[in-house]
Amino acid sequence: MKKLIFLIVSLLFICCKEQAKTNPFLSQETAALYEEPFRPQFHFSPQAHWMNDPNGLVYHAGVYHLFYQYYPDATVWGPMHWGHAVSKDLVHWEHKPIALFPDEKGFIFSGSAIVDKNNTSGFGKDGKVPLVAIYTYFRMDIEKTGGTNTQTQGIAYSLDNGDTWIKYANNPVIDNTTLKDFRDPKVFWHEETEKWIMALVAGDHTQFYASKNLKEWKLLSTFGKTQGAHGGVWECPDLFKLKVEGTDEEKWVLIISIGTGGPNGGSGTQYFVGDFDGTTFTSDQTTYKWLDWGTDNYAGVTYNNTPDDKRIFIGWMSNWQYAVTTPTTTWRSAMTVPRELSLHKNGDTYALRNYPVPQLDALIQRNTVTSMTLEPNSEKNLFFEEGLQQSEIVFTTTNKDFKMELSNEKGERVGITFDGTSNLVILDRTNSGLKDFQPNFANTLQYMALDDFGQEQQEIRMLLDSSSLELFVNGGQNVMTVQLFPTESYTTVTLQNNTGTHLEIGGFQKSTMASIWKN
Ligand code: FRU
């Protein structure tokens, strides 16, 4: 008997050691995986180490792929790989091995992926449909010696639905000898001209290319040198068609991220509504439009090939101003929840909305709904013993002059003030918890200009995870995404009426969001 027990224990020991050798994540930190302080419970974050932009968002054979900028050796940015995760419902994610590794042509920067159904690339074999990834190669060594020819475009393909990848032997498919910033190809199939179209950024503008086979590309046109926000280098473009809600009108939307000069400092994502004729994108938009007004939604792009033609967006929930210093331990950064984009028209103005995909509702453990009336210039505290760190809060108000504050017993708080006179929402995270890891993380208020379509009533939805808040106003008409690092959970919601009349709060509901990692 003793011998048997010894044998079993020895076998277990050997097995665990083997696993620890092959799986870099099974270290002494394993016990804490997805339980660390600030670890998001219903947002995607890598098991360990550094992550930035979402890449290669594509749906194929029942699976949503999420590739991402990944550095597997540290919790700060480094030689970029494409990390990989898959999901059947856009809510629960399964981690996959790293998809693309750096090689002699460079690090693997951001890009996209497509399903080459007609095998235009010739990469398909034995009837297997290739997934093709189109990405930027970056040569750090050349940059260090002052060279500008650091960024070129490469492709790779997979015949097993993204599990393994083969790089094209004749990379790069678009060379570059002059431009310092020349990256982040987003490719899609353009039905009307039966060509692949690529949107690529080149410093202060977007370039559009076309190809029949994904290997040979022809420059078509450029856009943006004199339009839009230029507070930083243009990054991560995305171009797609959307129907204007409630009409048959179709417009094209171009999304562009800028690393600095966002609406509240640092990184931000702007969009243009216009037309694309297969060659040229034009927009008569004269104002800047921001997809998200908060500081922490960057480099977001949308899925190719979604089953129901939905336009689904995921952004990186951070900001280059402080991304590498946020106070997390074994991993760094998370993605926004997947959001559906829709286009709306008011008068002559087009507006892009973004709102959580309905699949996320499966996580919401609904609570009872309450309504309340706030006397003129009064406030109400609602205490939630279980905490707000993993919740959804929804309600409506009868006017635009109120404040809500989330706070904990340590006095850490985040305030969101609606000001009907200026039509602004002011978010205050200056005392929200840990903030000294970087001076510009929480030194100013954040502002969001509300689209004013004459409506007084406001519809609020907030998603709160361990270290983030996503605020959706009026069905995603205006949105703010911010990171927060409270040292203990917020437990109180304070609602404050800032007018001399009654404020009706309707349909107030605080629900718990189930963890996507523990079910
Ligand atoms: C955006 C970005 C991209 C680039 C990648 C590098 O955050 O700067 O332009 O491809 O990150 O990791």
Side-chain angles (χ1 to χ4, degrees):
M1 187 63 181
K2 256 191 187 166
K3 261 189 183 166
L4 188 69
I5 292 173
F6 177 75
L7 194 73
I8 292 171
V9 170
S10 309
L11 271 175
L12 272 176
F13 181 71
I14 291 165
C15 278
C16 291
K17 257 188 106 178
E18 269 313 300
Q19 256 197 318
K21 253 197 285 176
T22 51
N23 185 342
F25 305 122
L26 282 181
S27 60
Q28 63 273 35
E29 288 135 24
T30 312
L33 213 53
Y34 288 93
E35 284 175 4
E36 303 93 333
F38 305 127
R39 180 66 103 159
Q41 291 303 309
F42 61 97
H43 289 83
F44 179 82
S45 62
Q47 280 184 309
H49 304 129
W50 169 268
M51 175 181 81
N52 55 292
D53 316 359
N55 294 152
L57 301 185
V58 66
Y59 176 87
H60 181 52
V63 174
Y64 291 94
H65 292 271
L66 166 59
F67 300 93
Y68 51 88
Q69 289 287 278
Y70 187 49
Y71 183 44
D73 294 328
T75 49
V76 291
W77 192 89
M80 283 288 112
H81 301 53
W82 272 26
H84 187 200
V86 291
S87 173
K88 290 203 163 116
D89 60 3
L90 281 171
V91 177
H92 299 89
W93 297 94
E94 183 195 326
H95 297 289
K96 290 280 196 175
I98 290 172
L100 294 170
F101 289 79
D103 59 46
E104 72 289 349
K105 288 175 184 155
F107 302 170
I108 315 293
F109 268 18
S110 286
S112 50
I114 56 88
V115 182
D116 188 10
K117 289 174 193 156
N118 298 325
N119 198 18
T120 60
S121 61
F123 291 143
K125 238 186 253 149
D126 307 328
K128 284 188 199 145
V129 173
L131 282 188
V132 181
I134 307 97
Y135 55 86
T136 298
Y137 268 123
F138 171 64
R139 290 282 301 270
M140 179 88 117
D141 51 336
I142 298 182
E143 189 179 79
K144 277 190 178 149
T145 56
T148 48
N149 52 335
T150 60
Q151 301 184 3
T152 58
Q153 319 312 319
I155 61 176
Y157 66 96
S158 167
L159 297 176
D160 55 8
N161 203 5
D163 282 352
T164 56
W165 290 83
I166 301 159
K167 288 182 184 133
Y168 177 48
N170 295 331
N171 276 334
V173 290
I174 301 183
D175 206 355
N176 163 40
T177 51
T178 51
L179 296 166
K180 180 172 178 291
D181 296 297
F182 186 64
R183 57 180 179 267
D184 307 341
K186 173 70 193 244
V187 174
F188 65 94
W189 180 251
H190 188 249
E191 285 294 343
E192 296 83 341
T193 55
E194 298 194 328
K195 279 186 190 138
W196 298 105
I197 297 291
M198 177 195 292
L200 188 70
V201 280
D204 62 352
H205 67 281
T206 312
Q207 301 190 339
F208 297 102
Y209 291 79
S211 174
K212 283 274 178 202
N213 59 9
L214 297 162
K215 295 170 179 163
E216 288 136 47
W217 292 91
K218 183 175 161 247
L219 178 64
L220 298 173
S221 63
T222 65
F223 170 83
K225 276 194 182 160
T226 55
Q227 260 175 294
H230 283 276
V233 166
W234 280 26
E235 298 185 317
C236 302
D238 195 357
L239 178 69
F240 48 85
K241 191 163 64 177
L242 275 182
K243 224 177 212 159
V244 178
E245 288 289 304
T247 76
D248 280 334
E249 188 185 0
E250 290 183 328
K251 296 297 278 184
W252 287 79
V253 178
L254 176 67
I255 290 182
I256 297 288
S257 286
I258 48 173
T260 53
N264 281 293
S267 315
T269 304
Q270 60 177 325
Y271 69 89
F272 301 88
V273 181
D275 297 296
F276 180 68
D277 62 5
T279 304
T280 313
F281 176 79
T282 48
S283 168
D284 49 21
Q285 194 173 299
T286 49
T287 50
Y288 303 163
K289 286 183 185 285
W290 300 108
L291 184 135
D292 194 314
W293 289 78
T295 40
D296 297 291
N297 180 356
Y298 192 60
V301 282
T302 66
Y303 269 90
N304 274 328
N305 201 42
T306 49
D308 38 16
D309 237 3
K310 299 265 185 231
R311 196 41 65 180
I312 296 161
F313 167 100
I314 294 180
W316 171 47
M317 218 159 28
S318 201
N319 188 311
W320 280 119
Q321 278 195 320
Y322 44 73
V324 298
T325 56
T326 53
T328 59
T329 50
T330 53
W331 87 102
R332 199 170 262 127
S333 295
M335 296 299 180
T336 65
V337 293
R339 303 175 184 180
E340 189 179 333
L341 302 184
S342 59
L343 193 59
H344 299 255
K345 195 174 182 183
N346 200 270
D348 291 337
T349 317
Y350 297 95
L352 186 69
R353 290 191 193 176
N354 65 104
Y355 200 63
V357 294
Q359 290 93 317
L360 215 69
D361 292 356
L363 299 177
I364 305 173
Q365 298 161 351
R366 292 253 176 242
N367 237 318
T368 46
V369 183
T370 39
S371 293
M372 54 200 123
T373 303
L374 263 68
E375 299 296 316
N377 299 308
S378 73
E379 63 178 42
K380 232 180 198 123
N381 289 321
L382 306 167
F383 177 73
F384 299 93
E385 199 171 1
E386 73 279 14
L388 304 171
Q389 71 283 1
Q390 215 177 305
S391 9
E392 183 209 47
I393 296 173
V394 292
F395 62 95
T396 59
T397 66
T398 41
N399 68 46
K400 272 192 274 188
D401 285 287
F402 63 94
K403 179 177 179 186
M404 53 190 161
E405 190 175 79
L406 317 176
S407 59
N408 63 21
E409 280 170 17
K410 286 190 170 166
E412 295 166 346
R413 56 193 182 274
V414 50
I416 299 168
T417 306
F418 277 63
D419 180 46
T421 315
S422 59
N423 232 8
L424 289 175
V425 176
I426 303 141
L427 189 142
D428 181 354
R429 69 170 174 187
T430 56
N431 289 301
S432 55
L434 297 184
K435 56 175 185 171
D436 294 338
F437 50 88
Q438 187 88 7
N440 54 11
F441 173 73
N443 57 345
T444 53
L445 300 176
Q446 298 189 28
Y447 294 89
M448 167 162 79
L450 281 174
D451 279 346
D452 185 9
F453 296 138
Q455 81 261 50
E456 268 301 297
Q457 172 170 331
Q458 301 297 302
E459 187 195 309
I460 312 298
R461 183 176 183 195
M462 277 189 290
L463 295 178
L464 280 150
D465 208 334
S466 322
S467 47
S468 64
L469 185 162
E470 290 161 289
L471 168 70
F472 302 92
V473 180
N474 299 327
Q477 191 172 292
N478 297 112
V479 177
M480 283 184 115
T481 303
V482 291
Q483 291 185 87
L484 302 165
F485 299 99
T487 56
E488 64 181 46
S489 179
Y490 302 126
T491 43
T492 301
V493 179
T494 304
L495 294 168
Q496 185 179 309
N497 177 4
N498 291 338
T499 67
T501 55
H502 287 95
L503 172 72
E504 304 293 338
I505 303 282
F508 184 97
Q509 201 171 27
K510 184 269 178 200
S511 309
T512 298
M513 302 287 292
S515 170
I516 59 172
W517 306 111
K518 294 183 183 139
N519 297 317

